[in-house]
mmCIF file of all heavy atoms in Angstrom:
data_model
loop_
_atom_site.group_PDB
_atom_site.id
_atom_site.type_symbol
_atom_site.label_atom_id
_atom_site.label_comp_id
_atom_site.label_asym_id
_atom_site.label_seq_id
_atom_site.Cartn_x
_atom_site.Cartn_y
_atom_site.Cartn_z
ATOM 1 N N ILE A 10 181.452 -78.170 176.701
ATOM 2 C CA ILE A 10 180.035 -78.105 176.175
ATOM 3 C C ILE A 10 180.133 -77.678 174.710
ATOM 4 O O ILE A 10 179.458 -78.263 173.829
ATOM 5 C CB ILE A 10 179.176 -77.097 176.974
ATOM 6 C CG1 ILE A 10 178.940 -77.631 178.354
ATOM 7 C CG2 ILE A 10 177.830 -76.874 176.211
ATOM 8 C CD1 ILE A 10 178.312 -76.599 179.320
ATOM 9 N N LEU A 11 180.931 -76.710 174.331
ATOM 10 C CA LEU A 11 181.061 -76.333 172.936
ATOM 11 C C LEU A 11 181.637 -77.489 172.110
ATOM 12 O O LEU A 11 181.218 -77.696 170.958
ATOM 13 C CB LEU A 11 181.946 -75.068 172.756
ATOM 14 C CG LEU A 11 181.323 -73.729 173.082
ATOM 15 C CD1 LEU A 11 182.352 -72.641 173.044
ATOM 16 C CD2 LEU A 11 180.223 -73.430 172.039
ATOM 17 N N ARG A 13 181.274 -80.710 172.649
ATOM 18 C CA ARG A 13 180.235 -81.690 172.458
ATOM 19 C C ARG A 13 179.278 -81.236 171.323
ATOM 20 O O ARG A 13 178.829 -82.089 170.496
ATOM 21 C CB ARG A 13 179.492 -81.969 173.728
ATOM 22 C CG ARG A 13 180.325 -82.741 174.685
ATOM 23 C CD ARG A 13 179.617 -83.078 175.901
ATOM 24 N NE ARG A 13 180.519 -83.747 176.862
ATOM 25 C CZ ARG A 13 180.180 -84.598 177.784
ATOM 26 N NH1 ARG A 13 178.865 -84.850 177.926
ATOM 27 N NH2 ARG A 13 181.044 -85.144 178.559
ATOM 28 N N ALA A 14 178.940 -79.969 171.274
ATOM 29 C CA ALA A 14 178.055 -79.445 170.146
ATOM 30 C C ALA A 14 178.777 -79.642 168.853
ATOM 31 O O ALA A 14 178.206 -80.058 167.884
ATOM 32 C CB ALA A 14 177.650 -77.996 170.442
ATOM 33 N N ARG A 15 180.050 -79.299 168.834
ATOM 34 C CA ARG A 15 180.802 -79.432 167.602
ATOM 35 C C ARG A 15 180.847 -80.904 167.065
ATOM 36 O O ARG A 15 180.641 -81.116 165.946
ATOM 37 C CB ARG A 15 182.268 -78.940 167.795
ATOM 38 C CG ARG A 15 183.064 -78.885 166.462
ATOM 39 C CD ARG A 15 184.571 -78.779 166.753
ATOM 40 N NE ARG A 15 185.114 -79.874 167.467
ATOM 41 C CZ ARG A 15 185.396 -81.092 166.954
ATOM 42 N NH1 ARG A 15 185.074 -81.354 165.671
ATOM 43 N NH2 ARG A 15 185.877 -82.077 167.693
ATOM 44 N N GLU A 16 181.119 -81.805 168.054
ATOM 45 C CA GLU A 16 181.138 -83.198 167.698
ATOM 46 C C GLU A 16 179.796 -83.679 167.175
ATOM 47 O O GLU A 16 179.745 -84.445 166.186
ATOM 48 C CB GLU A 16 181.508 -84.021 168.901
ATOM 49 C CG GLU A 16 182.984 -83.940 169.295
ATOM 50 C CD GLU A 16 183.296 -84.609 170.639
ATOM 51 O OE1 GLU A 16 182.372 -85.051 171.308
ATOM 52 O OE2 GLU A 16 184.477 -84.679 170.982
ATOM 53 N N ARG A 17 178.686 -83.172 167.732
ATOM 54 C CA ARG A 17 177.340 -83.586 167.292
ATOM 55 C C ARG A 17 177.122 -83.088 165.921
ATOM 56 O O ARG A 17 176.582 -83.802 165.032
ATOM 57 C CB ARG A 17 176.329 -82.983 168.274
ATOM 58 C CG ARG A 17 174.918 -83.581 168.137
ATOM 59 C CD ARG A 17 173.990 -83.069 169.207
ATOM 60 N NE ARG A 17 174.429 -83.428 170.592
ATOM 61 C CZ ARG A 17 174.825 -82.525 171.457
ATOM 62 N NH1 ARG A 17 174.782 -81.281 171.259
ATOM 63 N NH2 ARG A 17 175.263 -82.949 172.657
ATOM 64 N N PHE A 18 177.523 -81.869 165.572
ATOM 65 C CA PHE A 18 177.391 -81.319 164.258
ATOM 66 C C PHE A 18 178.220 -82.164 163.270
ATOM 67 O O PHE A 18 177.744 -82.539 162.152
ATOM 68 C CB PHE A 18 177.879 -79.840 164.175
ATOM 69 C CG PHE A 18 176.886 -78.819 164.523
ATOM 70 C CD1 PHE A 18 177.195 -77.880 165.507
ATOM 71 C CD2 PHE A 18 175.619 -78.805 163.947
ATOM 72 C CE1 PHE A 18 176.295 -76.911 165.850
ATOM 73 C CE2 PHE A 18 174.707 -77.827 164.302
ATOM 74 C CZ PHE A 18 175.037 -76.844 165.161
ATOM 75 N N GLU A 19 179.442 -82.394 163.573
ATOM 76 C CA GLU A 19 180.307 -83.211 162.667
ATOM 77 C C GLU A 19 179.770 -84.582 162.422
ATOM 78 O O GLU A 19 179.721 -85.063 161.260
ATOM 79 C CB GLU A 19 181.754 -83.365 163.253
ATOM 80 C CG GLU A 19 182.650 -82.288 162.761
ATOM 81 C CD GLU A 19 184.106 -82.645 163.109
ATOM 82 O OE1 GLU A 19 184.515 -83.764 163.196
ATOM 83 O OE2 GLU A 19 184.820 -81.635 163.330
ATOM 84 N N THR A 21 176.672 -85.606 162.670
ATOM 85 C CA THR A 21 175.453 -85.453 161.863
ATOM 86 C C THR A 21 175.772 -85.212 160.412
ATOM 87 O O THR A 21 175.209 -85.867 159.525
ATOM 88 C CB THR A 21 174.582 -84.274 162.425
ATOM 89 O OG1 THR A 21 174.205 -84.578 163.776
ATOM 90 C CG2 THR A 21 173.355 -84.042 161.522
ATOM 91 N N LEU A 44 171.976 -74.676 159.895
ATOM 92 C CA LEU A 44 172.164 -74.801 161.337
ATOM 93 C C LEU A 44 173.677 -74.720 161.714
ATOM 94 O O LEU A 44 174.004 -74.024 162.666
ATOM 95 C CB LEU A 44 171.537 -76.065 161.880
ATOM 96 C CG LEU A 44 170.026 -76.120 161.829
ATOM 97 C CD1 LEU A 44 169.505 -77.568 162.028
ATOM 98 C CD2 LEU A 44 169.456 -75.220 162.956
ATOM 99 N N ILE A 45 174.515 -75.375 160.988
ATOM 100 C CA ILE A 45 175.980 -75.323 161.262
ATOM 101 C C ILE A 45 176.519 -73.938 160.921
ATOM 102 O O ILE A 45 177.249 -73.362 161.748
ATOM 103 C CB ILE A 45 176.746 -76.404 160.506
ATOM 104 C CG1 ILE A 45 176.268 -77.820 160.983
ATOM 105 C CG2 ILE A 45 178.245 -76.262 160.664
ATOM 106 C CD1 ILE A 45 176.824 -78.962 160.163
ATOM 107 N N THR A 48 175.275 -71.411 163.474
ATOM 108 C CA THR A 48 175.942 -71.537 164.770
ATOM 109 C C THR A 48 177.347 -71.038 164.736
ATOM 110 O O THR A 48 177.791 -70.290 165.660
ATOM 111 C CB THR A 48 175.953 -73.060 165.168
ATOM 112 O OG1 THR A 48 174.597 -73.488 165.275
ATOM 113 C CG2 THR A 48 176.615 -73.316 166.483
ATOM 114 N N LEU A 108 183.068 -73.651 161.488
ATOM 115 C CA LEU A 108 182.627 -73.913 162.815
ATOM 116 C C LEU A 108 183.848 -74.092 163.736
ATOM 117 O O LEU A 108 183.895 -73.523 164.841
ATOM 118 C CB LEU A 108 181.763 -75.201 162.859
ATOM 119 C CG LEU A 108 181.236 -75.642 164.226
ATOM 120 C CD1 LEU A 108 180.281 -74.653 164.791
ATOM 121 C CD2 LEU A 108 180.558 -76.997 164.150
ATOM 122 N N ILE A 149 176.671 -70.387 174.124
ATOM 123 C CA ILE A 149 176.778 -71.868 174.295
ATOM 124 C C ILE A 149 175.469 -72.617 174.190
ATOM 125 O O ILE A 149 175.372 -73.604 173.515
ATOM 126 C CB ILE A 149 177.527 -72.128 175.669
ATOM 127 C CG1 ILE A 149 178.936 -71.623 175.579
ATOM 128 C CG2 ILE A 149 177.541 -73.587 176.009
ATOM 129 C CD1 ILE A 149 179.644 -71.546 176.936
ATOM 130 N N ASP A 150 174.453 -72.030 174.794
ATOM 131 C CA ASP A 150 173.130 -72.635 174.789
ATOM 132 C C ASP A 150 172.638 -72.747 173.328
ATOM 133 O O ASP A 150 172.081 -73.760 172.878
ATOM 134 C CB ASP A 150 172.181 -71.810 175.593
ATOM 135 C CG ASP A 150 170.757 -72.397 175.636
ATOM 136 O OD1 ASP A 150 170.619 -73.622 175.980
ATOM 137 O OD2 ASP A 150 169.818 -71.711 175.252
ATOM 138 N N ASP A 151 172.876 -71.676 172.524
ATOM 139 C CA ASP A 151 172.447 -71.717 171.132
ATOM 140 C C ASP A 151 173.114 -72.781 170.372
ATOM 141 O O ASP A 151 172.548 -73.503 169.535
ATOM 142 C CB ASP A 151 172.737 -70.316 170.536
ATOM 143 C CG ASP A 151 171.841 -69.981 169.342
ATOM 144 O OD1 ASP A 151 170.626 -70.059 169.481
ATOM 145 O OD2 ASP A 151 172.400 -69.679 168.287
ATOM 146 N N ALA A 152 174.439 -72.969 170.581
ATOM 147 C CA ALA A 152 175.203 -73.977 169.861
ATOM 148 C C ALA A 152 174.676 -75.388 170.247
ATOM 149 O O ALA A 152 174.487 -76.217 169.347
ATOM 150 C CB ALA A 152 176.660 -73.893 170.243
ATOM 151 N N VAL A 153 174.403 -75.627 171.496
ATOM 152 C CA VAL A 153 173.862 -76.918 171.931
ATOM 153 C C VAL A 153 172.448 -77.145 171.296
ATOM 154 O O VAL A 153 172.201 -78.252 170.767
ATOM 155 C CB VAL A 153 173.839 -77.003 173.486
ATOM 156 C CG1 VAL A 153 173.035 -78.225 173.936
ATOM 157 C CG2 VAL A 153 175.189 -77.023 174.014
ATOM 158 N N MET A 154 171.593 -76.127 171.356
ATOM 159 C CA MET A 154 170.231 -76.285 170.800
ATOM 160 C C MET A 154 170.325 -76.585 169.290
ATOM 161 O O MET A 154 169.621 -77.503 168.828
ATOM 162 C CB MET A 154 169.475 -74.942 171.046
ATOM 163 C CG MET A 154 168.086 -75.016 170.412
ATOM 164 S SD MET A 154 167.173 -73.472 170.637
ATOM 165 C CE MET A 154 168.150 -72.303 169.744
ATOM 166 N N HIS A 155 171.126 -75.832 168.570
ATOM 167 C CA HIS A 155 171.172 -76.030 167.115
ATOM 168 C C HIS A 155 171.797 -77.392 166.742
ATOM 169 O O HIS A 155 171.440 -78.004 165.723
ATOM 170 C CB HIS A 155 171.859 -74.912 166.425
ATOM 171 C CG HIS A 155 171.072 -73.660 166.422
ATOM 172 N ND1 HIS A 155 169.711 -73.633 166.126
ATOM 173 C CD2 HIS A 155 171.362 -72.352 166.705
ATOM 174 C CE1 HIS A 155 169.253 -72.363 166.194
ATOM 175 N NE2 HIS A 155 170.243 -71.583 166.576
ATOM 176 N N SER A 156 172.758 -77.852 167.529
ATOM 177 C CA SER A 156 173.302 -79.167 167.252
ATOM 178 C C SER A 156 172.323 -80.266 167.397
ATOM 179 O O SER A 156 172.272 -81.220 166.641
ATOM 180 C CB SER A 156 174.583 -79.434 168.085
ATOM 181 O OG SER A 156 174.307 -79.570 169.412
ATOM 182 N N GLY A 157 171.448 -80.152 168.383
ATOM 183 C CA GLY A 157 170.365 -81.096 168.587
ATOM 184 C C GLY A 157 169.295 -80.957 167.432
ATOM 185 O O GLY A 157 168.807 -81.992 166.964
ATOM 186 N N GLN A 158 169.050 -79.798 166.966
ATOM 187 C CA GLN A 158 168.168 -79.578 165.860
ATOM 188 C C GLN A 158 168.704 -80.205 164.594
ATOM 189 O O GLN A 158 167.975 -80.736 163.763
ATOM 190 C CB GLN A 158 167.913 -78.074 165.606
ATOM 191 C CG GLN A 158 167.017 -77.426 166.640
ATOM 192 C CD GLN A 158 166.975 -75.914 166.442
ATOM 193 O OE1 GLN A 158 167.940 -75.306 166.013
ATOM 194 N NE2 GLN A 158 165.807 -75.361 166.761
ATOM 195 N N ALA A 159 170.087 -80.189 164.477
ATOM 196 C CA ALA A 159 170.648 -80.810 163.277
ATOM 197 C C ALA A 159 170.454 -82.286 163.288
ATOM 198 O O ALA A 159 170.144 -82.888 162.238
ATOM 199 C CB ALA A 159 172.180 -80.466 163.267
ATOM 200 N N VAL A 160 170.461 -82.914 164.409
ATOM 201 C CA VAL A 160 170.233 -84.345 164.503
ATOM 202 C C VAL A 160 168.773 -84.648 164.124
ATOM 203 O O VAL A 160 168.536 -85.548 163.322
ATOM 204 C CB VAL A 160 170.512 -84.882 165.909
ATOM 205 C CG1 VAL A 160 170.036 -86.283 166.118
ATOM 206 C CG2 VAL A 160 171.973 -84.773 166.297
ATOM 207 N N TYR A 161 167.872 -83.874 164.619
ATOM 208 C CA TYR A 161 166.453 -83.969 164.270
ATOM 209 C C TYR A 161 166.200 -83.771 162.771
ATOM 210 O O TYR A 161 165.550 -84.559 162.108
ATOM 211 C CB TYR A 161 165.616 -82.968 165.047
ATOM 212 C CG TYR A 161 164.162 -82.998 164.736
ATOM 213 C CD1 TYR A 161 163.346 -84.033 165.180
ATOM 214 C CD2 TYR A 161 163.613 -81.963 164.000
ATOM 215 C CE1 TYR A 161 162.029 -84.070 164.917
ATOM 216 C CE2 TYR A 161 162.223 -81.976 163.712
ATOM 217 C CZ TYR A 161 161.448 -83.003 164.183
ATOM 218 O OH TYR A 161 160.099 -83.027 163.881
ATOM 219 N N THR A 162 166.832 -82.753 162.221
ATOM 220 C CA THR A 162 166.658 -82.483 160.807
ATOM 221 C C THR A 162 167.232 -83.627 159.943
ATOM 222 O O THR A 162 166.692 -84.058 158.976
ATOM 223 C CB THR A 162 167.383 -81.141 160.398
ATOM 224 O OG1 THR A 162 166.797 -80.076 161.170
ATOM 225 C CG2 THR A 162 167.355 -80.865 158.924
#
Side-chain angles (χ1 to χ4, degrees):
I10 293 170
L11 281 173
R13 288 182 185 208
R15 186 194 65 74
E16 288 171 353
R17 195 174 299 115
F18 276 128
E19 267 193 31
T21 298
L44 290 164
I45 296 171
T48 300
L108 179 64
I149 294 169
D150 181 57
D151 204 55
V153 170
M154 176 182 63
H155 289 315
S156 67
Q158 288 172 326
V160 172
Y161 177 73
T162 299

